[in-house]
Amino acid sequence: MNAHRTTTWRAACALGLSAVIGLGVVPMAAADSPEFGVLYTGEFDDADARVFRDRMRALGWYQEVFKTSHAASSTDRPRHYNFTHGVDDKQTQAGDDCDILYVSGHGWRRAKIPIYDNRPQVVDSISADSQCVGGPSVHPWEIGVDWLGQFPSNESRWDYDLEWAIFAACLQLDNRTTSDKLAYSNNAPRESSAKAWGRTLLGTPGRMHGIFGYWDVAPAGSYDTYVVNDFFTHAAGHDDTVGTAWAQANAKYGWSWAFLTHSENRNDRLHGQGAGPTADTKATSAYHVDYYKSALSGRILDGRGGAYEQLSDAGSGTLGHWLKVLLGGVEQAFANESDRRVRSQKRTFELPRRVGGGEKQYAAFDAEPVRLDPLVLLQGAPLSIETSQGPNGRSHEAHGTGSGRDGLERAVVQANGRFEYHSGRGVGVERVALQRDEVVEIARGYLSGVDPSFASATPAEIRTVTRERMEFDSSTPGTETIVQYEVRFAQRARGLYVDGPGVGACVTVDSLGVGDAYGYWVDGRSLRRRSARINSVGAHQALEANAQEIGGLIKLPEGEIPLHAADVVLHIDPDASSALEPAWRFETGDATAFYVRAQGDGVFR
């Protein structure tokens, strides 16, 4: 929170800065700098945790704690007391020493994060409160959120310096009720993981500002590092609010992001950015905690917004055909039910009854991105054009008049072909009073004015961003208000869907119109055959050969993993290659997908 302490040893370090500089050594941040902590608790790749640490250091923040399960020394690995208990059961590295805490790893159901060591095996875990029990047998250490007397005070140990916690882990901000399969199973009012963690925002004497994470599957592999880098691009480069930066960093790749924030803190910015954080809310005042999330609302199967399919309305046997309906092709059905199940050490994948991709052979291609004009993306009177070096190569940024918070709209086209347009409004609070078909037409109209290449863009799915006022003292869910739509457009090349991290086009629509647009679009005229058509492996074989490695792609929970769809697509990662390669696209959770090579072994990270 906004109070900072300077310990004796930190003050001593500060006194020696001039001497350190004189020796030509880059000094640590000053003693009064904002502080950060990073904890990697999982069993796979900790690259995102290291990238977050490096980006914070580059901003001049002081590193209070960095722990990773991969550390050789046990003292450098995370344990529950990094989150919760200190010497006197009150001081914590997270709540009393950091302004922002980033936690990456697996997420279990019932608001629980397991902590692995470097073998790997689970040796510890932390939870929001003492009721978060069940599931794997490791007993959790809790942050502590038992109520103190009447609402709205509790004993949350995250009650002093901590403003923001980011959980790059599955399911921690899941607000589904007890009737849902993955729900938090204790009695009201603690009926969801989101509510359990949300109660840590109500500490005494001060309150943490917000928690950011995922209500469904979280990214891993290279995907979580993309999110981290984009988060800092928005939070420190574009001066967006913390919530908007988290939302836009994840929305670009289709992740099911969520966050909790006091309404009074919704306009928080990182220290040193714009106005910085807003004032703390105190335990003596009423609480107004809002829950934002992005969720798949449905698929637009006829490309015009008419035929419509919601995930809740279709079983796994029918969901697998959406690409077939959208793009044409042949479905394959499994002869035996047992052929649908693929077991690995910790997970069992269940394929849908029908999978896409009836052809036996596919070819790979080289492709170039469509080259867009940032001023056309902007669609406003330009004030200036700036050129800057972005994380993925040289970018061109155009500024013009608009309705953004700072009076500027931004359009960026990077050298690797990614494009972005931002109005600057961010995630809002106003209800969008538009029908779904109207939203689709607004999004389509914007793209059609950007470039002729988007004439073939097919609306494929629509997501809603909702806001809900959390009622911690009630088991009744609050009312969800739609504050934004995300319309995603598909591209077809050589009869297949082109897909990958941030590939395609997405246009967001809020109460004022088009808010953002971003994506990567292949120039259909540039396709060059990279290889001859060769045999491909089936969905079951592709899963079976790579089941162990899949856990490093997305942070899937352990146990049964139902797959909603399996289709062959042309995969491309614009940050790594120009190749369009045949891949099985396996969809799980809230339209989250991972990709396995359809020709030979291996996954796309």
Side-chain angles (χ1 to χ4, degrees):
M1 297 171 190
N2 292 332
H4 296 280
R5 297 159 318 289
T6 303
T7 60
T8 302
W9 68 270
R10 293 268 303 278
C13 289
L15 289 173
L17 280 178
S18 58
V20 173
I21 294 172
L23 294 174
V25 179
V26 177
M28 295 289 285
D32 59 352
S33 299
E35 304 135 319
F36 74 93
V38 177
L39 301 172
Y40 179 77
T41 61
E43 58 180 317
F44 293 110
D45 183 5
D46 63 356
D48 65 312
R50 297 180 182 276
V51 170
F52 193 94
R53 175 198 62 188
D54 294 344
R55 296 297 297 263
M56 289 262 74
R57 286 175 170 175
L59 290 177
W61 288 50
Y62 181 84
Q63 177 182 304
E64 187 66 48
V65 58
F66 178 84
K67 305 279 187 180
T68 172
S69 296
H70 295 325
S73 171
S74 61
T75 59
D76 294 326
R77 299 175 206 150
R79 291 295 183 265
H80 68 262
Y81 45 76
N82 298 132
F83 300 87
T84 55
H85 305 294
V87 176
D88 59 358
D89 201 39
K90 292 182 180 179
Q91 282 190 310
T92 70
Q93 283 184 296
D96 288 334
D97 293 338
C98 296
D99 293 284
I100 189 169
L101 176 69
Y102 181 82
V103 182
S104 175
H106 280 298
W108 283 343
R109 294 153 193 167
R110 304 183 180 93
K112 185 191 273 187
I113 296 176
I115 301 175
Y116 287 76
D117 65 9
N118 65 347
R119 280 193 286 273
Q121 67 181 36
V122 177
V123 294
D124 206 345
S125 68
I126 63 107
S127 285
D129 65 41
S130 59
Q131 302 300 311
C132 303
V133 297
S137 59
V138 176
H139 184 74
W141 291 89
E142 72 276 4
I143 303 303
V145 289
D146 290 335
W147 295 111
L148 300 178
Q150 300 297 314
F151 291 96
S153 300
N154 66 35
E155 64 168 1
S156 171
R157 293 182 178 86
W158 289 357
D159 62 357
Y160 190 54
D161 224 19
L162 187 65
E163 275 125 9
W164 312 288
I166 297 176
F167 293 152
C170 295
L171 299 170
Q172 297 310 292
L173 296 186
D174 183 1
N175 198 33
R176 285 174 284 189
T177 60
T178 54
S179 61
D180 291 302
K181 183 177 180 181
L182 303 182
Y184 182 74
S185 63
N186 291 281
N187 293 328
R190 301 174 175 138
E191 77 279 11
S192 77
S193 294
K195 281 193 176 181
W197 284 116
R199 286 154 63 96
T200 66
L201 296 177
L202 309 181
T204 300
R207 293 174 175 167
M208 185 167 64
H209 292 198
I211 302 176
F212 307 84
Y214 300 91
W215 69 268
D216 201 78
V217 174
S222 297
Y223 305 144
D224 51 10
T225 61
Y226 293 158
V227 170
V228 169
N229 276 318
D230 282 357
F231 170 76
F232 282 100
T233 295
H234 287 282
H238 290 171
D239 190 26
D240 285 325
T241 66
V242 178
T244 292
W246 182 249
Q248 295 194 343
N250 282 281
K252 182 185 299 184
Y253 306 105
W255 298 107
S256 300
W257 59 266
F259 66 83
L260 290 155
T261 183
H262 291 278
S263 63
E264 296 87 346
N265 300 131
R266 186 176 65 85
N267 291 321
D268 271 356
R269 287 172 174 80
L270 293 179
H271 293 279
Q273 307 300 318
T278 53
D280 300 340
T281 61
K282 300 297 183 181
T284 54
S285 62
Y287 63 85
H288 307 101
V289 176
D290 288 330
Y291 173 68
Y292 290 84
K293 76 170 184 179
S294 169
L296 181 66
S297 175
R299 262 58 187 265
I300 308 168
L301 295 182
D302 68 351
R304 296 183 299 276
Y308 186 57
E309 179 181 56
Q310 291 185 337
L311 284 179
S312 59
D313 295 337
S316 61
T318 60
L319 274 171
H321 80 293
W322 77 276
L323 284 179
K324 170 183 175 292
V325 175
L326 179 65
L327 302 175
V330 181
E331 285 184 330
Q332 295 175 317
F334 291 104
N336 302 308
E337 286 292 301
S338 60
D339 293 338
R340 295 172 51 209
R341 299 175 69 81
V342 177
R343 292 179 173 83
S344 66
Q345 183 179 358
K346 297 179 180 179
R347 300 171 184 86
T348 298
F349 298 96
E350 184 177 273
L351 286 158
R353 291 183 176 85
R354 294 179 178 273
V355 300
E359 296 186 57
K360 298 291 186 182
Q361 294 184 324
Y362 298 95
F365 300 88
D366 279 318
E368 295 292 330
V370 171
R371 303 295 176 180
L372 301 180
D373 184 339
L375 298 184
V376 177
L377 269 176
L378 183 67
Q379 290 194 328
L383 300 180
S384 64
I385 300 177
E386 301 176 3
T387 302
S388 61
Q389 185 72 28
N392 300 312
R394 186 162 297 280
S395 64
H396 302 283
E397 184 168 347
H399 292 236
T401 58
S403 56
R405 174 193 55 79
D406 55 4
L408 295 176
E409 295 180 337
R410 300 178 177 87
V412 179
V413 179
Q414 296 175 350
N416 66 352
R418 292 194 187 279
F419 62 88
E420 299 181 33
Y421 158 74
H422 299 294
S423 67
R425 293 194 295 271
V427 179
V429 296
E430 300 298 327
R431 182 177 73 90
V432 182
L434 295 169
Q435 298 299 313
R436 179 176 53 85
D437 293 352
E438 294 176 297
V439 170
V440 171
E441 288 308 310
I442 290 173
R444 190 206 302 273
Y446 171 79
L447 280 184
S448 65
V450 168
D451 191 270
S453 300
F454 290 114
S456 61
T458 305
E461 64 184 36
I462 189 165
R463 298 178 72 90
T464 55
V465 175
T466 55
R467 176 179 56 85
E468 174 187 340
R469 178 60 51 86
M470 295 294 273
E471 299 290 345
F472 294 108
D473 54 348
S474 171
S475 60
T476 304
T479 301
E480 288 188 341
T481 300
I482 297 175
V483 296
Q484 191 177 75
Y485 283 95
E486 300 171 359
V487 185
R488 298 187 178 276
F489 293 82
Q491 183 177 15
R492 184 177 183 174
R494 301 301 173 100
L496 294 176
Y497 177 42
V498 178
D499 203 8
V503 172
C506 180
V507 179
T508 70
V509 178
D510 59 22
S511 60
L512 297 177
V514 173
D516 306 286
Y518 34 78
Y520 175 92
W521 205 258
V522 169
D523 188 339
R525 301 164 298 180
S526 70
L527 294 183
R528 299 180 301 277
R529 188 180 293 275
R530 189 184 183 101
S531 66
R533 292 170 66 90
I534 60 176
N535 292 335
S536 62
V537 297
H540 187 280
Q541 295 94 319
L543 265 183
E544 193 170 47
N546 299 281
Q548 295 298 115
E549 197 176 357
I550 287 168
L553 297 177
I554 51 180
K555 295 164 182 169
L556 292 167
E558 298 176 7
E560 296 280 337
I561 308 294
L563 300 176
H564 297 306
D567 299 274
V568 175
V569 300
L570 285 175
H571 177 276
I572 186 170
D573 183 346
D575 292 305
S577 171
S578 63
L580 291 171
E581 299 184 59
W584 279 102
R585 179 188 188 273
F586 295 107
E587 184 178 297
T588 180
D590 184 58
T592 300
F594 58 89
Y595 306 88
V596 177
R597 295 181 187 277
Q599 297 171 333
D601 291 340
V603 299
F604 290 97
R605 289 188 172 275

